[in-house]
Amino acid sequence: MSLPPEKASELKQLIHQQLSKMDVHGRIREILAETIREELAPDQQQLSTEDLIKALRRRGIIDDVMKELNFVTDNVDQELPSSPKQPVGFTDRQSTLLKKTNIDPTRRYLYLQVLGGKAFLEHLQEPEPLPGQACSTFTLCLHFRNQRFRSKPVPCACEPDFHDGFLLEVHRENLGDGTRMADSTTMLSISDPVHMVLIKTDIFAETTLVASYFLEWRSVLGSENGVTNLTVELMGVGTESKVSVGILNIKLEMYPPLNQTLSQEVVNTQLALERQKTAEKERLFLVYAKQWWREYLQIRPSHNSRLVKIFAQDENGINRPVCSYVKPLRAGRLLDTPRQAARFVNVLGYERAPVIGGGGKQEQWCTLLAFLCRNKGDCEDHANLLCSLLLGYGLEAFVCVGTKAKGVPHAWVMTCGTDGTITFWESLTGHRYLHKPISPDEPSAAEQPKPLYPYRTIGCVFNHQMFLGNCQPSDSVESCVFDLNDESKWKPMSEEAVKSVCAPGATTSLPPFPPLCASTIDASVTSNEIEMQLRLLVSEHRKDLGLTTVWEDQLSYLLSPALASYEFERTTSISAGNEEFQDAIRRAVPDGHTFKGFPIHFVYRNARRAFATCLRSPFCEEIICCRGDQVRLAVRVRVFTYPESACAVWIMFACKYRSVL
């Protein structure tokens, strides 16, 4: 690599500064003197250069210098754009190539760099965080053609310091014949956008969805040298979907470089044709939906008050057919059974869409990526994800839209067995309920079992292929017959009409479904951390009450099987291992002593918040504040991890003490 004279002199100066900083010259002089004293024979007049280098190498001086001068390579391997100043002699292009080690040279890649943000005005007054100080952070999550990426968290600021690069593989899913590299024309036909979701995480680890943006990347195919710079304006979500929240500077680059770029006119024409085709399909579906709704109302005027939801607004305020929120989703090896999938959806946090002021519930169904990245959402988000997973397991699953007690709108999931069995799945709790219709024709005196499920009315059911409106005389769930093929009970939409706007690839406006990601949480380490924090909190709390605290590690360990059994029961509805736990506790508690235990379950990992919740329970407070003779305390924490770093946290507090009458 040849350098211009001015760069070469600058590089020499940098090396000279580094050597001076390490005092290499002084150390060489010392070794030279020592070598002359010890190794120079009386008849020798001088040391050769080779002798001196051998002496330096033997004493590790050369290795030390090389380690110190290795800073350039280290920076390149980690993330060059994040360093405030580029090392001399390495352009941005060269740093990009140095990082691309595990790539297939026969495939096309899109290198997307986020080079900072600006105009995040909500954080205009935010002070610069001190080193080591906890602060709110921004994280950018990306999804493109079944690949997911996450940026490094950066402190929230008016100009957040995003400097991340993402290598997106364009040539995937057997596009082409696998032996020929995708050319510009082939890539122009790939309409998948890059879905970008911006998440804010506060100092208490609470997440907020800031923005959701679909980046049209194909403009790079018509740019000179296959490189283009974009300024992306991010809009808010929900009620703030028309308000700008900030701007990201993005650089797109094709790798390997394109041999032949398309004209910008060709690219623009293709994008315009796709938009036109999508708009026409959506217009025709809207015309059909209006006609279907008129026919539905003509069956019975009271249908007007039923919860028949054909369209729903996403986080960007765009109305989309509800069927587009569901799609068969395979969890790979991350989840083994439908019931485990239900447990995973249950441990994702529940949060209603935020609303400014009063006026009831804010309507917002999230795209799957936004829901997963935020790790929490409303009941509709949970139901859509659970239905998608159950469809992936080969079940006939539907999302049900209706009400719970007091007329509160709600969404849950239903599966139809081949034997006609109807099962309701509550996505917020993981509970399952069998549905047996109560016949309204039977005499009221006849004792009919009261249903265990919390649902009151049902307006419609849907999945990725079907939409059916309930047209039975009563929309009560109790008396509802779920024979979905009977058009006198369920009015169907045309499956062709649903597919025209909801089938994969039907329109370019459909957000592609991302794959699930494995958990990044180490269950053992996290369990230990929370347990240590809880021990400290309990000891401090008892100290404030004037009580001493003695922990018994063996008793704490004996609580583990119980916590494992509780999680197993939540997942499978089968109780196991309780006998062994009870037997072990009886052996550990001497005669004349009393044992008390209190298990509790959380879906977050904040020990202080969990402890405050535990103290609100009189049973738990009684254990934590236990007084008596020979009081021994125990606490055990067990974290069970699920995809997307969701987790179920089980905590059990226990004590044993001598009963004094």
Side-chain angles (χ1 to χ4, degrees):
M1 179 177 71
S2 61
L3 289 174
E6 65 275 8
K7 289 287 181 188
S9 62
E10 194 178 339
L11 190 57
K12 284 178 186 174
Q13 188 181 353
L14 276 174
I15 293 172
H16 179 73
Q17 286 172 359
Q18 191 69 23
L19 294 176
S20 303
K21 185 173 144 189
M22 295 171 61
D23 191 25
V24 170
H25 299 98
R27 291 164 73 184
I28 289 175
R29 276 193 292 272
E30 287 172 19
I31 288 169
L32 182 58
E34 187 182 325
T35 307
I36 289 171
R37 273 198 316 272
E38 294 176 1
E39 299 179 14
L40 195 59
D43 56 337
Q44 276 185 283
Q45 296 300 314
Q46 60 182 16
L47 276 172
S48 69
T49 308
E50 287 178 11
D51 292 333
L52 179 58
I53 288 175
K54 278 181 190 171
L56 292 174
R57 196 181 293 280
R58 198 163 56 243
R59 287 164 176 77
I61 297 294
I62 290 177
D63 288 342
D64 289 347
V65 171
M66 293 310 293
K67 278 180 192 169
E68 287 296 325
L69 291 178
N70 207 27
F71 65 96
V72 169
T73 310
D74 288 346
N75 282 349
V76 170
D77 286 343
Q78 290 162 10
E79 191 62 55
L80 264 180
S82 65
S83 56
K85 182 181 178 182
Q86 295 286 1
V88 175
F90 287 87
T91 64
D92 189 54
R93 175 68 186 150
Q94 287 164 326
S95 70
T96 301
L97 293 177
L98 279 167
K99 287 186 294 179
K100 295 178 180 175
T101 51
N102 300 320
I103 63 172
D104 185 342
T106 65
R107 292 179 176 240
R108 287 283 185 201
Y109 294 88
L110 174 69
Y111 186 51
L112 186 154
Q113 294 178 74
V114 185
L115 304 173
K118 58 186 178 183
F120 285 78
L121 300 179
E122 192 175 325
H123 303 278
L124 189 60
Q125 304 298 328
E126 210 132 308
E128 190 81 16
L130 298 170
Q133 180 188 12
C135 65
S136 298
T137 58
F138 282 139
T139 309
L140 195 62
C141 306
L142 273 69
H143 168 232
F144 178 69
R145 294 179 67 74
N146 233 31
Q147 304 159 82
R148 285 181 60 185
F149 302 86
R150 182 182 286 264
S151 74
K152 296 188 290 288
V154 299
C156 293
C158 184
E159 296 187 356
D161 188 28
F162 286 113
H163 279 92
D164 272 292
F166 308 97
L167 195 63
L168 315 177
E169 190 176 334
V170 180
H171 191 289
R172 278 180 82 86
E173 298 168 4
N174 300 320
L175 189 70
D177 59 10
T179 57
R180 191 175 67 251
M181 189 178 290
D183 57 16
S184 302
T185 310
T186 306
M187 289 189 287
L188 187 59
S189 66
I190 301 172
S191 59
D192 303 59
V194 179
H195 190 182
M196 307 169 71
V197 168
L198 184 62
I199 300 292
K200 178 183 175 182
T201 308
D202 68 14
I203 57 173
F204 304 108
E206 288 295 314
T207 55
T208 310
L209 177 62
V210 178
S212 174
Y213 184 83
F214 294 94
L215 175 69
E216 179 49 74
W217 59 276
R218 287 175 288 177
S219 59
V220 73
L221 299 175
S223 58
E224 194 177 348
N225 302 322
V227 180
T228 188
N229 290 284
L230 303 172
T231 301
V232 169
E233 184 178 19
L234 301 178
M235 309 303 281
V237 295
T239 52
E240 299 175 34
S241 60
K242 307 295 182 199
V243 181
S244 173
V245 293
I247 291 170
L248 291 180
N249 295 319
I250 289 175
K251 181 180 178 182
L252 299 176
E253 183 175 359
M254 294 306 302
Y255 180 78
L258 297 171
N259 296 327
Q260 181 182 2
T261 58
L262 303 171
S263 74
Q264 200 63 54
E265 188 182 351
V266 169
V267 175
N268 293 340
T269 303
Q270 171 71 15
L271 300 183
L273 283 170
E274 287 178 4
R275 283 194 295 269
Q276 186 181 338
K277 188 177 171 186
T278 294
E280 181 61 15
K281 284 186 176 182
E282 290 175 346
R283 186 189 69 81
L284 289 173
F285 181 76
L286 180 60
V287 169
Y288 172 76
K290 285 181 177 177
Q291 176 63 28
W292 183 93
W293 178 245
R294 279 195 294 270
E295 292 171 2
Y296 182 72
L297 291 182
Q298 285 169 9
I299 298 172
R300 205 173 282 110
S302 61
H303 285 181
N304 196 33
S305 61
R306 293 190 180 182
L307 274 177
V308 178
K309 192 141 195 68
I310 303 171
F311 294 92
Q313 279 192 0
D314 65 11
E315 66 265 24
N316 291 325
I318 296 170
N319 272 312
R320 290 172 38 211
V322 290
C323 297
S324 69
Y325 289 89
V326 174
K327 174 192 165 186
L329 182 64
R330 287 165 54 171
R333 305 205 180 266
L334 301 179
L335 298 167
D336 295 320
T337 66
R339 295 192 187 189
Q340 196 180 11
R343 178 60 174 155
F344 156 59
V345 176
N346 155 222
V347 298
L348 289 170
Y350 169 63
E351 180 182 83
R352 293 178 61 172
V355 59
I356 300 171
K361 181 179 174 181
Q362 168 67 29
E363 174 74 11
Q364 181 181 307
W365 291 29
C366 279
T367 56
L368 183 56
L369 185 68
F371 176 39
L372 294 176
C373 293
R374 192 168 54 133
N375 245 227
K376 59 185 176 185
D378 212 332
C379 61
E380 293 88 358
D381 303 323
H382 286 79
N384 290 334
L385 175 56
L386 178 56
C387 182
S388 297
L389 288 166
L390 296 183
L391 287 168
Y393 281 111
L395 301 179
E396 188 180 9
F398 296 86
V399 174
C400 304
V401 179
T403 62
K404 293 196 296 186
K406 299 180 181 175
V408 176
H410 191 62
W412 66 98
V413 178
M414 170 184 82
T415 52
C416 307
T418 51
D419 59 353
T421 305
I422 300 297
T423 307
F424 292 149
W425 302 64
E426 177 47 64
S427 58
L428 296 179
T429 62
H431 293 159
R432 299 163 65 253
Y433 309 96
L434 283 176
H435 173 263
K436 292 180 181 174
I438 296 173
S439 173
D441 302 328
E442 292 203 12
S444 56
E447 287 191 14
Q448 300 194 46
K450 190 178 179 185
L452 299 172
Y453 47 77
Y455 319 121
R456 295 292 175 265
T457 67
I458 182 165
C460 64
V461 301
F462 67 86
N463 62 17
H464 63 303
Q465 293 177 328
M466 300 169 68
F467 183 94
L468 303 114
N470 182 5
C471 54
Q472 296 169 62
S474 168
D475 63 352
S476 166
V477 179
E478 288 182 4
S479 59
C480 192
V481 176
F482 287 93
D483 180 1
L484 302 181
N485 295 317
D486 186 345
E487 293 194 13
S488 68
K489 293 181 172 63
W490 295 92
K491 179 172 173 58
M493 270 196 176
S494 157
E495 287 192 30
E496 287 303 313
V498 171
K499 282 181 186 174
S500 71
V501 287
C502 297
T507 67
T508 54
S509 62
L510 280 184
F513 266 49
L516 296 182
C517 284
S519 177
T520 57
I521 296 170
D522 186 319
S524 300
V525 171
T526 309
S527 300
N528 282 335
E529 285 175 355
I530 298 173
E531 194 170 302
M532 290 301 105
Q533 290 170 21
L534 287 174
R535 282 195 176 201
L536 192 63
L537 289 166
V538 170
S539 299
E540 287 176 354
H541 186 74
R542 287 177 62 85
K543 187 178 178 182
D544 291 343
L545 298 173
L547 301 170
T548 57
T549 306
V550 182
W551 296 100
E552 187 171 311
D553 289 340
Q554 177 61 14
L555 185 59
S556 295
Y557 180 70
L558 295 184
L559 304 177
S560 293
L563 301 183
S565 175
Y566 298 148
E567 183 62 20
F568 183 75
E569 188 175 352
R570 284 287 180 102
T571 306
T572 63
S573 305
I574 299 167
S575 179
N578 206 30
E579 301 82 4
E580 294 90 341
F581 168 66
Q582 290 180 356
D583 190 56
I585 294 298
R586 287 193 191 100
R587 288 174 175 276
V589 178
D591 289 342
H593 284 65
T594 300
F595 170 85
K596 289 181 180 178
F598 177 78
I600 191 166
H601 166 256
F602 298 100
V603 294
Y604 51 81
R605 307 189 301 278
N606 186 323
R608 194 171 288 276
R609 182 178 163 195
F611 183 65
T613 304
C614 291
L615 283 178
R616 288 200 287 272
S617 163
F619 303 105
C620 188
E621 204 229 3
E622 190 179 318
I623 292 169
I624 291 170
C625 306
C626 179
R627 297 170 184 267
D629 185 22
Q630 297 181 26
V631 174
R632 298 291 181 270
L633 291 169
V635 63
R636 192 66 170 172
V637 176
R638 180 71 167 86
V639 174
F640 296 88
T641 57
Y642 288 90
E644 299 298 326
S645 297
C647 58
V649 180
W650 282 97
I651 301 171
M652 184 182 265
F653 290 100
C655 68
K656 67 175 184 180
Y657 58 93
R658 184 193 292 276
S659 304
V660 181
L661 299 174

